[in-house]
Amino acid sequence: MRDDCRILLISGSLRRASTNTAALRTAAATAPQGVVAVLYDGLGDLPAFNPDDDVEPLPDAAARLRVDIRAADALLFSVPEYAGGMPGSFKNLLDWSIGDDQRGSIYEKPVAWINASPRGAVHAHESLRLVLSYAHATIVEEACAHIAVTAATIDAAGIISDPAVSVDIAAALTVLARHAVDARAAARDPRGPQTTKTS
């Protein structure tokens, strides 16, 4: 890639030993050349979303989230399922990421997710798809992957030690990055997207 592609990695879990966070940490560790993958760590700091607070100056944690989203070419999520849906803390993050200011929202932002649950977490990802569609994010279907992760495969550094799983995670990240770069090129060039290669 001629320019770095920045991907924001957002886990939907606050658990210290979360397999979802491990999947994204592995994505950051295996990012190909030209891709800068940054793990977001502010989920627990966000206040409960209140439209009355969605004005300048924003709460510090919400302002930082929108800065991070604005700086990213794409977002990659990994979300567990709680009580038949998305965790409340993660839905709260999505509420803050919609906003009226499109420069700091997920509006038309390329997004994908890794479903790390061995059981599938179908309801959580159905809910995620619904919210992302409502927010007019661009879901990159080819980068959405079910890659089961278990605690036994996570090493002391919080990285997945199974090479096959790591390869699958890196592949999903690469597809998302390629789409994001093509979308960025299309936005700059009225002739349309140009073919890019990720090494």
Side-chain angles (χ1 to χ4, degrees):
M1 293 184 186
R2 289 171 295 177
D3 300 314
D4 283 344
C5 175
R6 186 178 181 88
I7 297 183
L8 186 62
L9 311 173
I10 301 180
S11 172
S13 176
L14 291 169
R15 291 182 62 238
R16 186 174 303 173
S18 166
T19 54
N20 293 274
T21 304
L24 295 180
R25 197 178 289 119
T26 302
T30 59
Q33 183 178 1
V35 176
V36 177
V38 179
L39 185 63
Y40 174 76
D41 64 358
L43 180 64
D45 298 327
L46 288 167
F49 179 75
N50 181 343
D52 292 340
D53 296 332
D54 193 7
V55 294
E56 297 293 341
L58 289 170
D60 288 346
R64 180 199 157 196
L65 171 65
R66 290 189 181 175
V67 167
D68 288 347
I69 291 173
R70 185 162 58 245
D73 294 298
L75 282 71
L76 181 64
F77 303 107
S78 189
V79 186
E81 183 169 295
Y82 290 161
M86 292 185 292
S89 56
F90 179 72
K91 176 57 167 64
N92 184 55
L93 178 145
L94 293 178
D95 289 342
W96 278 114
S97 74
I98 295 175
D100 292 329
D101 179 4
Q102 293 181 3
R103 294 172 301 167
S105 78
I106 57 176
Y107 180 84
E108 294 187 345
K109 187 78 70 172
V111 299
W113 57 80
I114 292 173
N115 181 346
S117 171
R119 297 182 179 179
V122 174
H123 299 299
H125 292 88
E126 286 176 348
S127 298
L128 177 59
R129 179 183 294 278
L130 178 63
V131 174
L132 293 175
S133 298
Y134 179 85
H136 299 288
T138 301
I139 299 173
V140 182
E141 299 288 353
E142 315 91 274
C144 296
H146 181 198
I147 305 171
V149 177
T150 63
T153 65
I154 302 172
D155 65 20
I159 305 292
I160 295 168
S161 57
D162 186 327
V165 175
S166 296
V167 167
D168 287 345
I169 290 172
L173 183 72
T174 299
V175 171
L176 179 60
R178 184 177 295 118
H179 181 96
V181 169
D182 285 347
R184 188 172 63 189
R188 292 176 179 173
D189 187 347
R191 294 174 300 173
Q194 306 298 309
T195 302
T196 58
K197 294 182 179 180
T198 306
S199 57

